[in-house]
Amino acid sequence: MAGDHGGEATHGYSRRLESILADLTMSWPRRLWSATTVEMQLLFPLAAPAVVVYMLNNLLSLGTQVFSGHLGNLELAASSLGNNGIQIFAYGLMLGMGSAVETLCGQAYGAHKYEMLGIYLQRSTVLLMATGIPLAVVYAFSRPLLLLLGQSPEIATAASIFVYGLIPQIFAYAANFPIQKFLQAQSIVTPSACISAGALAVHLVLSWVVVYKVGLGLLGASLVLSLNWWIIVAAQFLYIVTSRRCRFTWTGFSWQAFAGLPEFFKLSTASAVMLCLETWYYQIMVLIAGLLKDPQLALDSLTVCMSIAGWAFMISVGFNAAASVRVGNELGAGHPKSAEFSVVVVTVLSLIISLIVATIMLCLRHYISYAFTEGETVARAVSELSPLLAATLILNGIQPVLSGVAVGCGWQAFVAYVNVGCYYFVGIPLGILLGFKFDLGAKGIWGGMLGGTLMQTFILIWVTFRTDWNKEVEQAMRRLDKWEDNKQPLLSNLD
């Protein structure tokens, strides 16, 4: 079946990598070179398209903010608050819950249990769609919520108009993330990259027409964004049901999607908490910035920097997905040395790319804001924040990749505790102290919260590189044995 399925080459490379790493007769430099060559053959076809997918998808939101920003500084602040203050709430929750599919599908695929991938996809979609209903209610009451959080009435009103148009996007997320993880677990990423590229082109044209020619402003910009996310979902699902590469993993709709939902919800919740605590962290920074003495300038400058950081972050998210799939596949296949080696290679590669991007951003620090708005005051504020932006980019080269490793292993609950401690008991209080007590403004808020990220990164490095990979393989095998005995989802030991 594996040969027909199209995964034989991947499984073959995986077996070869494990044999190279276990061959102690080979000299250390030669073993390192041979293993790196094989790992890159496995990693690059997965990571490169994944990076493209996440960057292009992020450009949908970034493009919307650019179109909104050229309507005026108020519209830029409103779209920033809507995107980074409200929309990221749903994005983090949906992406987090979708990562349960990443853990289960990655290990099932590595163990050749192909038929369960489609069940996991459907089960996750059912849960995420149900989760979307209360989120839609939150979106509907975004204006009073923003006012309750201390935002100015003018910005809160404009932001709420933008958010209303994002309600359909919630349910597009609910369908997209399980589909995305389902395909990634099989190393099928290039079709998603092509679909995202096409959707971005459509998005830019439609946004220009709706915002400027039809004159629908902020509401039109967000409605176009929602529409394009649904285009991505429809195209990816069409690929799944028509492609021969998915014929063993997608066997049609099944009532099994509604079985075992409580257990699946438990893992999805742990995954959601892990990633939500992370994505909401910078969302909170934007909300806190709205309480500063000059909230519009603070929000505008942070919008530019956080938009760039978010776009560059998609590179690391692509490597996050690649790390999760590679580790999950190797653990499911019973290859501890390959799993450990994959972690090292993907982390180093992501860090090198992030260093390059951070250097470029520092060189362009005086000019990058003009892509978003024409104000010189904002340009100066962005230039002052650029060192913090560069530091964030470098840390983002390591931390998301290690989070991907955690997803591949099923450590979501542990990482959630780490995130709570580092982000919410260290980063946010420190940011508030520096921003308000020491009157450092946006720089103080960002600097303090960067300290929390630094602490979390060091903890993840320490835990990951002290991991007993043989033990991780044993746990993966127990999950697979449980499935084989009971024909149940691979949920053992994941919570």
Side-chain angles (χ1 to χ4, degrees):
M1 181 185 290
D4 292 337
H5 182 262
E8 185 58 39
T10 299
H11 293 305
Y13 278 126
S14 178
R15 289 190 295 269
R16 184 181 169 197
L17 176 61
E18 187 71 11
S19 66
I20 290 171
L21 292 169
D23 186 2
L24 299 180
T25 63
M26 195 183 300
S27 66
W28 182 82
R30 184 182 172 193
R31 190 162 72 249
L32 177 63
W33 175 257
S34 299
T36 302
T37 301
V38 174
E39 176 61 30
M40 291 303 291
Q41 289 175 304
L42 286 163
L43 180 64
F44 186 77
L46 180 63
V51 169
V52 171
V53 168
Y54 285 105
M55 290 183 75
L56 289 175
N57 288 348
N58 182 258
L59 281 174
L60 292 175
S61 294
L62 187 60
T64 298
Q65 285 191 223
V66 170
F67 278 111
S68 301
H70 284 285
L71 290 171
N73 284 346
L74 172 63
E75 285 80 1
L76 176 62
S79 64
S80 169
L81 202 54
N83 256 324
N84 299 319
I86 300 292
Q87 180 260 354
I88 287 293
F89 176 84
Y91 183 91
L93 185 61
M94 293 296 188
L95 180 60
M97 293 186 73
S99 76
V101 180
E102 203 166 4
T103 301
L104 298 171
C105 284
Q107 294 186 6
Y109 184 77
H112 301 255
K113 304 295 183 183
Y114 301 127
E115 58 269 34
M116 284 307 296
L117 272 72
I119 302 299
Y120 292 141
L121 164 61
Q122 295 172 63
R123 192 167 292 160
S124 181
T125 304
V126 169
L127 281 175
L128 267 65
M129 285 290 180
T131 304
I133 296 172
L135 283 178
V137 175
V138 173
Y139 275 41
F141 289 94
S142 57
R143 184 180 183 276
L145 286 173
L146 289 171
L147 290 173
L148 186 65
L149 291 170
Q151 305 301 313
S152 72
E154 187 181 23
I155 295 177
T157 300
S160 65
I161 293 171
F162 182 83
V163 168
Y164 295 152
L166 295 179
I167 291 176
Q169 185 191 49
I170 299 171
F171 300 97
Y173 281 164
N176 176 73
F177 290 128
I179 288 174
Q180 208 170 58
K181 304 305 182 184
F182 168 86
L183 291 171
Q184 285 172 1
Q186 305 169 68
S187 299
I188 302 174
V189 190
T190 302
S192 295
C194 296
I195 290 167
S196 295
L200 178 62
V202 171
H203 176 68
L204 294 176
V205 173
L206 277 180
S207 294
W208 179 77
V209 171
V210 171
V211 174
Y212 298 133
K213 295 301 178 182
V214 179
L216 290 182
L218 283 173
L219 180 62
S222 57
L223 283 172
V224 170
L225 182 59
S226 294
L227 172 64
N228 277 277
W229 271 99
W230 273 109
I231 291 173
I232 291 172
V233 168
Q236 287 185 129
F237 184 69
L238 182 64
Y239 175 84
I240 288 172
V241 298
T242 59
S243 172
R244 288 180 57 82
R245 297 180 69 183
C246 298
R247 70 186 186 279
F248 291 113
T249 52
W250 176 263
T251 55
F253 292 103
S254 170
W255 287 109
Q256 279 188 275
F258 297 94
L261 285 176
E263 294 82 3
F264 201 89
F265 179 74
K266 187 176 181 181
L267 176 61
S268 295
T269 302
S271 302
V273 170
M274 184 191 86
L275 287 177
C276 284
L277 291 173
E278 194 166 308
T279 55
W280 295 347
Y281 187 49
Y282 287 99
Q283 172 192 14
I284 289 171
M285 181 172 75
V286 173
L287 292 173
I288 293 172
L291 305 176
L292 292 170
K293 295 175 183 176
D294 188 349
Q296 186 163 315
L297 177 61
L299 283 172
D300 285 347
S301 58
L302 279 175
T303 293
V304 175
C305 290
M306 296 312 298
S307 296
I308 293 167
W311 181 75
F313 182 69
M314 293 302 108
I315 299 174
S316 299
V317 171
F319 280 102
N320 167 294
S324 176
V325 172
R326 289 288 302 118
V327 171
N329 285 175
E330 296 300 345
L331 292 178
H335 298 157
K337 295 183 185 298
S338 297
E340 182 177 11
F341 188 74
S342 295
V343 172
V344 176
V345 172
V346 72
T347 304
V348 170
L349 189 58
S350 178
L351 177 59
I352 290 171
I353 293 174
S354 295
L355 285 168
I356 293 170
V357 173
T359 302
I360 293 172
M361 286 300 113
L362 280 177
C363 293
L364 298 175
R365 64 185 181 278
H366 299 299
Y367 312 103
I368 52 180
S369 71
Y370 291 109
F372 297 82
T373 184
E374 297 170 3
E376 292 185 11
T377 306
V378 175
R380 286 194 297 271
V382 169
S383 179
E384 291 177 4
L385 289 173
S386 291
L388 292 171
L389 172 61
T392 300
L393 294 176
I394 293 169
L395 281 181
N396 283 349
I398 305 172
Q399 181 270 332
V401 176
L402 297 180
S403 293
V405 174
V407 170
C409 295
W411 301 339
Q412 287 95 325
F414 166 75
V415 177
Y417 288 121
V418 173
N419 287 355
V420 169
C422 295
Y423 290 163
Y424 296 89
F425 288 98
V426 176
I428 291 176
L430 184 59
I432 293 173
L433 181 67
L434 294 175
F436 293 92
K437 180 68 174 178
F438 291 92
D439 203 25
L440 294 177
K443 288 187 289 187
I445 294 171
W446 196 347
M449 297 179 76
L450 196 61
T453 305
L454 184 64
M455 176 182 289
Q456 186 239 26
T457 302
F458 280 132
I459 292 174
L460 286 180
I461 291 172
W462 182 77
V463 170
T464 301
F465 289 99
R466 283 176 53 88
T467 297
D468 184 341
W469 293 100
N470 289 304
K471 183 179 178 181
E472 293 299 323
V473 167
E474 290 172 6
Q475 289 183 345
M477 291 301 104
R478 284 199 293 272
R479 295 169 200 143
L480 296 172
D481 289 341
K482 180 178 176 64
W483 182 91
E484 193 65 41
D485 291 339
N486 304 317
K487 299 296 181 187
Q488 292 298 316
L490 315 179
L491 287 168
S492 170
N493 295 319
L494 285 174
D495 52 81

